[in-house]
Amino acid sequence: MHTRHMRIAGAALLILLTGCAATVGENIKASAENVARYKELSAVDVVAALEKNVEEAKRADMPFLAPHYYNEAARILAECQGGLTSKPREALVNSAAKGDAVLEKGRAMMTVIQYRFSKELEYRAQLLEHNAPQTLLRDYDKVMAGLARLIEKVELEKSDNIDKEKEEQQKEMLDLVIRAVQEGALHDSEVVNNESRKKIADKQVPLTFGEAVRVFDDAKRQIAAAHHDRELVKRLGAQALFAARHAQQINDRVALLLLQLRPATGAGMAMRAAGGATSQLAVQIGGKPAQMDNVSVEMVVLQEENRLLAIATALGLGDLRDQPLEKQAEEIKRAAVEMARMSNGGQHPAERAAIDDMEARLKTASDANNQAHAELAAKGLQVEALTAQLNERDAQIKTLKEIIAQLEGKKKAPASSKPAKAKPAQGKKK
């Protein structure tokens, strides 16, 4: 794509600058060495050799770095191609030799340009690397046009007092480089955040969405300060995308709960669909209205998620919170089954310690689940849909405990002469 854009830009320059190209070629004369290169060739080979020389100059970026010299050589080539059957071979040789001489001067000018505009050309390479011609086309074309004007002044020896222009050009190009790096690193997270904002995540899950926006803005600032640090840019981009996807899936979960908990008339959802998010959730409990604000619903979902995170951490899994809760639970179950399969009933001390740690985390998760039930009951929110979801998490925890029991092997039976001690339902085996 970069090559295509450069080709289009080169063609545009060729059209715009053809009128000036003759100026640089007026005083250029072919040397004996230029003529000798073509003297023994046939007319067809003369044209082919000049075509090759012009193509090499094009690949070396002469259309941008020394456009007037390149355009003059291209004009001479076009004349040779058009006169291949009508001009004497000697005339073709002389024209091709002059084309060679023009290209030699152009290559010398390229060296000057590369020295005078080393920083600007470095920024240009970075813009191409970060896909600025695709993501920031209008601004890219603008700064490239500014650089082309400065190059033309040097090429035509009209470069007096261009230091201030160079300074301004460098600043514009650096600003665009930073924007291109930010766009490349943060584009996906920005898209996700915008989609969440359309689904009123800023009102529905203000805590999680606010954190996603904070992470995005912080990444943008850090990239502006250290856009050249590739590893940092990559890490910041990943963090912003994780936070955005986390907010997205929490918002979807809360939206589902709110839909299930709203009265059957759906009047509240109609209000939200019209763009007016309600600040509180109204439900009927025991014939009396009860209120629960969106932040409270969000907190219930986040607590549920934190319990899964604790279990995932105990199993050695990474942070899964950018995935829907159902997928998190599936991955946790898969990892637990895999641990059971690998253990085969035998337990290394380190493995035993890991299982003990997971047991403790499961107890904490179970206690937290019970606490969530109590809190919801205190608030008068024993709504069937929400309770069913919490019970589902209880079932997941129970499944994981059964897997742990399998890993522990055969339990030691209590002595029959002693009465069995009551132990907490979720407690750790003594």
mmCIF file of all heavy atoms in Angstrom, residues 198-228:
data_model
loop_
_atom_site.group_PDB
_atom_site.id
_atom_site.type_symbol
_atom_site.label_atom_id
_atom_site.label_comp_id
_atom_site.label_asym_id
_atom_site.label_seq_id
_atom_site.Cartn_x
_atom_site.Cartn_y
_atom_site.Cartn_z
ATOM 1 N N LYS A 198 -21.805 4.270 23.135
ATOM 2 C CA LYS A 198 -23.105 4.261 22.453
ATOM 3 C C LYS A 198 -24.137 3.435 23.232
ATOM 4 O O LYS A 198 -25.338 3.675 23.117
ATOM 5 C CB LYS A 198 -22.944 3.691 21.038
ATOM 6 C CG LYS A 198 -22.187 4.600 20.084
ATOM 7 C CD LYS A 198 -22.015 3.946 18.728
ATOM 8 C CE LYS A 198 -21.225 4.829 17.774
ATOM 9 N NZ LYS A 198 -21.000 4.163 16.464
ATOM 10 N N LYS A 199 -23.634 2.472 24.002
ATOM 11 C CA LYS A 199 -24.523 1.637 24.825
ATOM 12 C C LYS A 199 -24.599 2.178 26.249
ATOM 13 O O LYS A 199 -24.815 1.426 27.190
ATOM 14 C CB LYS A 199 -24.021 0.193 24.826
ATOM 15 C CG LYS A 199 -24.052 -0.466 23.458
ATOM 16 C CD LYS A 199 -23.537 -1.903 23.540
ATOM 17 C CE LYS A 199 -23.575 -2.578 22.177
ATOM 18 N NZ LYS A 199 -23.060 -3.973 22.246
ATOM 19 N N ILE A 200 -24.397 3.470 26.401
ATOM 20 C CA ILE A 200 -24.464 4.225 27.658
ATOM 21 C C ILE A 200 -23.646 3.601 28.781
ATOM 22 O O ILE A 200 -24.044 3.598 29.943
ATOM 23 C CB ILE A 200 -25.930 4.457 28.118
ATOM 24 C CG1 ILE A 200 -26.654 3.151 28.396
ATOM 25 C CG2 ILE A 200 -26.677 5.303 27.122
ATOM 26 C CD1 ILE A 200 -28.009 3.361 29.065
ATOM 27 N N ALA A 201 -22.481 3.058 28.456
ATOM 28 C CA ALA A 201 -21.620 2.486 29.492
ATOM 29 C C ALA A 201 -21.186 3.544 30.500
ATOM 30 O O ALA A 201 -20.956 3.237 31.672
ATOM 31 C CB ALA A 201 -20.391 1.847 28.843
ATOM 32 N N ASP A 202 -21.046 4.802 30.049
ATOM 33 C CA ASP A 202 -20.635 5.854 30.980
ATOM 34 C C ASP A 202 -21.661 6.064 32.095
ATOM 35 O O ASP A 202 -21.305 6.514 33.188
ATOM 36 C CB ASP A 202 -20.390 7.161 30.213
ATOM 37 C CG ASP A 202 -21.580 7.572 29.357
ATOM 38 O OD1 ASP A 202 -22.341 6.682 28.920
ATOM 39 O OD2 ASP A 202 -21.736 8.783 29.120
ATOM 40 N N LYS A 203 -22.934 5.734 31.848
ATOM 41 C CA LYS A 203 -23.977 5.868 32.858
ATOM 42 C C LYS A 203 -24.299 4.526 33.506
ATOM 43 O O LYS A 203 -24.645 4.460 34.672
ATOM 44 C CB LYS A 203 -25.246 6.455 32.236
ATOM 45 C CG LYS A 203 -25.068 7.847 31.652
ATOM 46 C CD LYS A 203 -26.348 8.337 31.034
ATOM 47 C CE LYS A 203 -26.183 9.770 30.500
ATOM 48 N NZ LYS A 203 -25.197 9.864 29.405
ATOM 49 N N GLN A 204 -24.167 3.445 32.747
ATOM 50 C CA GLN A 204 -24.586 2.134 33.211
ATOM 51 C C GLN A 204 -23.516 1.453 34.069
ATOM 52 O O GLN A 204 -23.841 0.769 35.044
ATOM 53 C CB GLN A 204 -24.914 1.253 32.000
ATOM 54 C CG GLN A 204 -25.757 0.049 32.306
ATOM 55 C CD GLN A 204 -26.465 -0.446 31.061
ATOM 56 O OE1 GLN A 204 -27.675 -0.316 30.938
ATOM 57 N NE2 GLN A 204 -25.713 -1.004 30.126
ATOM 58 N N VAL A 205 -22.251 1.618 33.674
ATOM 59 C CA VAL A 205 -21.137 1.053 34.464
ATOM 60 C C VAL A 205 -20.072 2.140 34.635
ATOM 61 O O VAL A 205 -18.958 2.029 34.115
ATOM 62 C CB VAL A 205 -20.545 -0.213 33.806
ATOM 63 C CG1 VAL A 205 -21.489 -1.386 33.937
ATOM 64 C CG2 VAL A 205 -20.220 0.031 32.336
ATOM 65 N N PRO A 206 -20.384 3.202 35.340
ATOM 66 C CA PRO A 206 -19.473 4.348 35.409
ATOM 67 C C PRO A 206 -18.101 4.016 35.994
ATOM 68 O O PRO A 206 -17.096 4.604 35.587
ATOM 69 C CB PRO A 206 -20.224 5.348 36.298
ATOM 70 C CG PRO A 206 -21.201 4.518 37.081
ATOM 71 C CD PRO A 206 -21.590 3.404 36.163
ATOM 72 N N LEU A 207 -18.043 3.061 36.930
ATOM 73 C CA LEU A 207 -16.755 2.725 37.545
ATOM 74 C C LEU A 207 -15.832 2.042 36.539
ATOM 75 O O LEU A 207 -14.679 2.454 36.340
ATOM 76 C CB LEU A 207 -16.977 1.815 38.761
ATOM 77 C CG LEU A 207 -17.881 2.360 39.868
ATOM 78 C CD1 LEU A 207 -18.046 1.321 40.959
ATOM 79 C CD2 LEU A 207 -17.299 3.649 40.438
ATOM 80 N N THR A 208 -16.328 1.001 35.879
ATOM 81 C CA THR A 208 -15.491 0.228 34.953
ATOM 82 C C THR A 208 -15.184 1.014 33.693
ATOM 83 O O THR A 208 -14.056 1.004 33.207
ATOM 84 C CB THR A 208 -16.195 -1.096 34.586
ATOM 85 O OG1 THR A 208 -16.740 -1.691 35.760
ATOM 86 C CG2 THR A 208 -15.217 -2.060 33.962
ATOM 87 N N PHE A 209 -16.195 1.686 33.163
ATOM 88 C CA PHE A 209 -15.958 2.459 31.942
ATOM 89 C C PHE A 209 -15.039 3.642 32.223
ATOM 90 O O PHE A 209 -14.175 3.977 31.403
ATOM 91 C CB PHE A 209 -17.280 2.953 31.355
ATOM 92 C CG PHE A 209 -17.113 3.663 30.031
ATOM 93 C CD1 PHE A 209 -16.794 2.960 28.880
ATOM 94 C CD2 PHE A 209 -17.248 5.040 29.943
ATOM 95 C CE1 PHE A 209 -16.623 3.613 27.668
ATOM 96 C CE2 PHE A 209 -17.079 5.702 28.742
ATOM 97 C CZ PHE A 209 -16.769 4.978 27.598
ATOM 98 N N GLY A 210 -15.203 4.266 33.373
ATOM 99 C CA GLY A 210 -14.312 5.371 33.741
ATOM 100 C C GLY A 210 -12.871 4.920 33.825
ATOM 101 O O GLY A 210 -11.949 5.642 33.421
ATOM 102 N N GLU A 211 -12.647 3.699 34.331
ATOM 103 C CA GLU A 211 -11.283 3.161 34.398
ATOM 104 C C GLU A 211 -10.732 2.906 32.998
ATOM 105 O O GLU A 211 -9.557 3.167 32.718
ATOM 106 C CB GLU A 211 -11.277 1.862 35.208
ATOM 107 C CG GLU A 211 -9.951 1.125 35.255
ATOM 108 C CD GLU A 211 -8.841 1.895 35.955
ATOM 109 O OE1 GLU A 211 -9.121 2.961 36.555
ATOM 110 O OE2 GLU A 211 -7.682 1.444 35.880
ATOM 111 N N ALA A 212 -11.572 2.405 32.091
ATOM 112 C CA ALA A 212 -11.133 2.164 30.712
ATOM 113 C C ALA A 212 -10.710 3.469 30.040
ATOM 114 O O ALA A 212 -9.700 3.528 29.339
ATOM 115 C CB ALA A 212 -12.244 1.492 29.911
ATOM 116 N N VAL A 213 -11.482 4.521 30.259
ATOM 117 C CA VAL A 213 -11.152 5.829 29.679
ATOM 118 C C VAL A 213 -9.864 6.370 30.293
ATOM 119 O O VAL A 213 -9.010 6.931 29.595
ATOM 120 C CB VAL A 213 -12.310 6.817 29.886
ATOM 121 C CG1 VAL A 213 -11.907 8.232 29.456
ATOM 122 C CG2 VAL A 213 -13.536 6.366 29.112
ATOM 123 N N ARG A 214 -9.703 6.181 31.598
ATOM 124 C CA ARG A 214 -8.483 6.648 32.272
ATOM 125 C C ARG A 214 -7.249 5.933 31.714
ATOM 126 O O ARG A 214 -6.225 6.565 31.432
ATOM 127 C CB ARG A 214 -8.575 6.403 33.780
ATOM 128 C CG ARG A 214 -7.391 6.975 34.566
ATOM 129 C CD ARG A 214 -7.271 6.357 35.930
ATOM 130 N NE ARG A 214 -6.937 4.946 35.864
ATOM 131 C CZ ARG A 214 -5.717 4.488 35.606
ATOM 132 N NH1 ARG A 214 -4.722 5.320 35.344
ATOM 133 N NH2 ARG A 214 -5.496 3.195 35.565
ATOM 134 N N VAL A 215 -7.349 4.616 31.546
ATOM 135 C CA VAL A 215 -6.222 3.849 31.008
ATOM 136 C C VAL A 215 -5.901 4.303 29.587
ATOM 137 O O VAL A 215 -4.730 4.449 29.212
ATOM 138 C CB VAL A 215 -6.537 2.338 31.042
ATOM 139 C CG1 VAL A 215 -5.459 1.545 30.303
ATOM 140 C CG2 VAL A 215 -6.638 1.850 32.482
ATOM 141 N N PHE A 216 -6.938 4.549 28.786
ATOM 142 C CA PHE A 216 -6.744 5.007 27.406
ATOM 143 C C PHE A 216 -6.025 6.364 27.387
ATOM 144 O O PHE A 216 -5.044 6.550 26.655
ATOM 145 C CB PHE A 216 -8.090 5.109 26.698
ATOM 146 C CG PHE A 216 -8.007 5.635 25.293
ATOM 147 C CD1 PHE A 216 -7.801 4.784 24.227
ATOM 148 C CD2 PHE A 216 -8.121 7.002 25.037
ATOM 149 C CE1 PHE A 216 -7.707 5.264 22.922
ATOM 150 C CE2 PHE A 216 -8.033 7.495 23.749
ATOM 151 C CZ PHE A 216 -7.833 6.621 22.686
ATOM 152 N N ASP A 217 -6.526 7.308 28.170
ATOM 153 C CA ASP A 217 -5.928 8.650 28.193
ATOM 154 C C ASP A 217 -4.493 8.615 28.711
ATOM 155 O O ASP A 217 -3.619 9.325 28.201
ATOM 156 C CB ASP A 217 -6.775 9.586 29.063
ATOM 157 C CG ASP A 217 -8.125 9.900 28.444
ATOM 158 O OD1 ASP A 217 -8.270 9.705 27.220
ATOM 159 O OD2 ASP A 217 -9.035 10.327 29.175
ATOM 160 N N ASP A 218 -4.247 7.790 29.714
ATOM 161 C CA ASP A 218 -2.897 7.681 30.261
ATOM 162 C C ASP A 218 -1.947 7.082 29.229
ATOM 163 O O ASP A 218 -0.805 7.530 29.086
ATOM 164 C CB ASP A 218 -2.914 6.824 31.527
ATOM 165 C CG ASP A 218 -1.559 6.784 32.208
ATOM 166 O OD1 ASP A 218 -1.061 7.859 32.591
ATOM 167 O OD2 ASP A 218 -0.983 5.688 32.348
ATOM 168 N N ALA A 219 -2.421 6.083 28.492
ATOM 169 C CA ALA A 219 -1.598 5.478 27.439
ATOM 170 C C ALA A 219 -1.280 6.501 26.353
ATOM 171 O O ALA A 219 -0.151 6.570 25.852
ATOM 172 C CB ALA A 219 -2.325 4.276 26.836
ATOM 173 N N LYS A 220 -2.262 7.307 26.014
ATOM 174 C CA LYS A 220 -2.060 8.330 24.979
ATOM 175 C C LYS A 220 -0.990 9.333 25.409
ATOM 176 O O LYS A 220 -0.124 9.717 24.610
ATOM 177 C CB LYS A 220 -3.383 9.045 24.723
ATOM 178 C CG LYS A 220 -3.420 9.857 23.436
ATOM 179 C CD LYS A 220 -4.834 10.335 23.135
ATOM 180 C CE LYS A 220 -4.876 11.066 21.801
ATOM 181 N NZ LYS A 220 -6.258 11.507 21.483
ATOM 182 N N ARG A 221 -1.023 9.740 26.684
ATOM 183 C CA ARG A 221 -0.018 10.690 27.188
ATOM 184 C C ARG A 221 1.377 10.056 27.220
ATOM 185 O O ARG A 221 2.363 10.695 26.826
ATOM 186 C CB ARG A 221 -0.418 11.159 28.592
ATOM 187 C CG ARG A 221 -1.545 12.167 28.622
ATOM 188 C CD ARG A 221 -1.690 12.792 30.007
ATOM 189 N NE ARG A 221 -2.076 11.797 30.994
ATOM 190 C CZ ARG A 221 -3.344 11.493 31.286
ATOM 191 N NH1 ARG A 221 -4.327 12.119 30.665
ATOM 192 N NH2 ARG A 221 -3.632 10.589 32.203
ATOM 193 N N GLN A 222 1.451 8.826 27.672
ATOM 194 C CA GLN A 222 2.758 8.177 27.754
ATOM 195 C C GLN A 222 3.360 7.942 26.367
ATOM 196 O O GLN A 222 4.569 8.072 26.178
ATOM 197 C CB GLN A 222 2.645 6.851 28.509
ATOM 198 C CG GLN A 222 2.383 7.005 29.990
ATOM 199 C CD GLN A 222 2.579 5.701 30.736
ATOM 200 O OE1 GLN A 222 3.636 5.088 30.681
ATOM 201 N NE2 GLN A 222 1.542 5.264 31.440
ATOM 202 N N ILE A 223 2.527 7.594 25.412
ATOM 203 C CA ILE A 223 3.017 7.392 24.043
ATOM 204 C C ILE A 223 3.530 8.704 23.466
ATOM 205 O O ILE A 223 4.557 8.738 22.778
ATOM 206 C CB ILE A 223 1.918 6.791 23.153
ATOM 207 C CG1 ILE A 223 1.642 5.345 23.571
ATOM 208 C CG2 ILE A 223 2.324 6.839 21.670
ATOM 209 C CD1 ILE A 223 0.467 4.712 22.862
ATOM 210 N N ALA A 224 2.844 9.802 23.751
ATOM 211 C CA ALA A 224 3.298 11.109 23.268
ATOM 212 C C ALA A 224 4.680 11.445 23.811
ATOM 213 O O ALA A 224 5.492 12.071 23.126
ATOM 214 C CB ALA A 224 2.295 12.193 23.666
ATOM 215 N N ALA A 225 4.960 10.998 25.041
ATOM 216 C CA ALA A 225 6.248 11.309 25.668
ATOM 217 C C ALA A 225 7.344 10.330 25.262
ATOM 218 O O ALA A 225 8.533 10.661 25.364
ATOM 219 C CB ALA A 225 6.100 11.311 27.190
ATOM 220 N N ALA A 226 6.962 9.131 24.791
ATOM 221 C CA ALA A 226 7.981 8.117 24.468
ATOM 222 C C ALA A 226 7.522 7.279 23.281
ATOM 223 O O ALA A 226 7.501 6.053 23.344
ATOM 224 C CB ALA A 226 8.251 7.243 25.681
ATOM 225 N N HIS A 227 7.168 7.955 22.188
ATOM 226 C CA HIS A 227 6.636 7.244 21.031
ATOM 227 C C HIS A 227 7.648 6.320 20.380
ATOM 228 O O HIS A 227 7.292 5.393 19.651
ATOM 229 C CB HIS A 227 6.130 8.254 19.986
ATOM 230 C CG HIS A 227 7.237 9.039 19.332
ATOM 231 N ND1 HIS A 227 7.801 10.149 19.931
ATOM 232 C CD2 HIS A 227 7.895 8.862 18.163
ATOM 233 C CE1 HIS A 227 8.747 10.633 19.140
ATOM 234 N NE2 HIS A 227 8.819 9.876 18.065
ATOM 235 N N HIS A 228 8.943 6.566 20.630
ATOM 236 C CA HIS A 228 10.009 5.766 20.028
ATOM 237 C C HIS A 228 10.242 4.449 20.762
ATOM 238 O O HIS A 228 10.929 3.563 20.251
ATOM 239 C CB HIS A 228 11.317 6.572 20.046
ATOM 240 C CG HIS A 228 11.666 7.080 21.409
ATOM 241 N ND1 HIS A 228 11.095 8.227 21.922
ATOM 242 C CD2 HIS A 228 12.476 6.592 22.377
ATOM 243 C CE1 HIS A 228 11.569 8.432 23.149
ATOM 244 N NE2 HIS A 228 12.401 7.441 23.443
#
